[in-house]
Amino acid sequence: MSLTQTKDFYETDKAVSEYLFFHYGEPNQFLFDGIGPRDALDFPRRCGELDLGLDINRARALDLGCAVGRAACEFSARFDEVIAIDYAHALIEAAKRLDGDNAIELDVAEEGDLAKRVSITLPSNARKDRIEFQQGDAMNLPAELGQFDFILMANLIDRLPDPRSCLEKIDSFVAENGVVAITSPYTWLEEYTPRELWLGGYEREGQRIKTSDTLKEILLPKFSLLQERNMPFLIREHDRKNQFSIAHATLWQKR
């Protein structure tokens, strides 16, 4: 599969349906007969709560790689302005549609070719007047975006063609004492990132290179590491199958 084909997946109806359900589906709709790891549910909502307890200004937040925007909804309850950006036009349009209609019906896989109709709704705490959805490229953010008090990069870095370049430029978009939150399961794949640009998951000169160490190398000159935590999540495939992953979350405060 080529890089172009992989990127194109996020423009498909299948991707839109899966991400809408991942972000807004009710927890009891995920686990078949209630069986499974409940602490892995509601991952996008939990990402949108990573700012809780932080002593920061709350003028502006950026959800970079927002997909269909659940974290942005959570931020809107606490920040005056929220910008939500994703590369996939189809995901941004779905986020805007839900933002406008408050509820959407969609088909989710049940078994084989069978699907079932479910309804999803915008969270009640979402402040729609504070959220702006934009299609954009995390690798080429315009300076006109300005600076933010909190930036979320949820499960984004291992889907970028050059994550180091993105991270080396992110400080210019962070306000004084602002925080960048990065989550990722560090699933490095050549379909998204050329192997020579992976941040970890390989050996070099006999040394095992781990992504968490490379993040410190890139960010510590300008940021302080505030927190680390593990965040499990489920990606639903059909009624009886979910992909279980554990994202590593790190929070970095600009010096």
Side-chain angles (χ1 to χ4, degrees):
M1 182 182 296
S2 72
L3 181 59
T4 300
Q5 290 171 321
T6 304
K7 286 183 177 180
D8 285 347
F9 166 74
Y10 294 103
E11 301 289 356
T12 65
D13 291 342
K14 182 177 188 295
V16 170
S17 176
E18 287 182 357
Y19 272 87
L20 283 169
F21 196 58
F22 179 44
H23 280 232
Y24 300 100
E26 294 295 328
N28 60 7
Q29 296 174 314
F30 271 81
L31 302 180
F32 186 79
D33 280 352
I35 302 168
R38 302 196 69 84
D39 60 350
L41 301 176
D42 273 339
F43 177 77
R45 175 187 60 77
R46 288 183 283 125
C47 287
E49 296 176 345
L50 285 171
D51 66 296
L52 292 176
L54 297 178
D55 183 17
I56 58 174
N57 293 327
R58 297 187 178 274
R60 305 185 77 217
L62 172 63
D63 185 359
L64 188 57
C66 67
V68 291
R70 177 59 187 271
C73 291
E74 300 300 321
F75 293 143
S76 72
R78 296 181 298 278
F79 289 86
D80 297 333
E81 180 186 9
V82 181
I83 305 297
I85 297 176
D86 200 273
Y87 188 82
H89 181 268
L91 296 181
I92 288 295
E93 288 305 305
K96 289 180 178 179
R97 188 165 74 253
L98 180 59
D99 186 57
D101 297 343
N102 292 318
I104 290 179
E105 288 194 348
L106 62 149
D107 294 321
V108 296
E110 187 174 15
E111 176 185 336
D113 293 332
L114 300 178
K116 57 186 177 184
R117 197 77 167 167
V118 300
S119 179
I120 60 169
T121 59
L122 202 68
S124 60
N125 63 339
R127 294 285 302 272
K128 298 195 294 183
D129 58 312
R130 298 180 176 181
I131 307 172
E132 180 182 343
F133 290 102
Q134 301 180 8
Q135 191 278 332
D137 185 355
M139 298 294 307
N140 294 287
L141 295 176
E144 292 75 18
L145 270 179
Q147 293 189 321
F148 298 86
D149 303 299
F150 192 87
I151 296 178
L152 172 67
M153 303 172 70
N155 293 5
L156 175 66
I157 60 170
D158 58 2
R159 292 298 177 265
L160 294 175
D162 189 349
R164 177 183 287 272
S165 175
C166 179
L167 291 169
E168 287 177 341
K169 294 181 290 187
I170 200 66
D171 69 287
S172 64
F173 296 95
V174 184
E176 184 178 358
N177 297 319
V179 171
V180 177
I182 300 170
T183 78
S184 176
Y186 305 148
T187 306
W188 297 106
L189 298 169
E190 290 184 282
E191 289 86 352
Y192 298 96
T193 311
R195 183 177 291 269
E196 63 271 19
L197 297 179
W198 291 3
L199 299 186
Y202 59 90
E203 286 193 7
R204 182 177 61 207
E205 298 177 353
Q207 181 180 2
R208 292 161 56 86
I209 307 300
K210 304 298 289 286
T211 305
S212 57
D213 294 327
T214 305
L215 287 178
K216 293 174 183 176
E217 171 198 322
I218 296 170
L219 295 173
L220 280 178
K222 297 178 181 178
F223 293 85
S224 298
L225 178 58
L226 290 182
Q227 298 179 22
E228 292 186 71
R229 67 180 78 171
N230 293 314
M231 296 181 63
F233 64 95
L234 289 180
I235 299 290
R236 184 185 183 280
E237 291 192 25
H238 56 74
D239 269 0
R240 295 177 178 267
K241 185 180 180 183
N242 291 283
Q243 297 179 27
F244 177 76
S245 304
I246 303 173
H248 182 215
T250 53
L251 274 65
W252 308 82
Q253 188 163 39
K254 188 174 180 179
R255 294 178 180 175

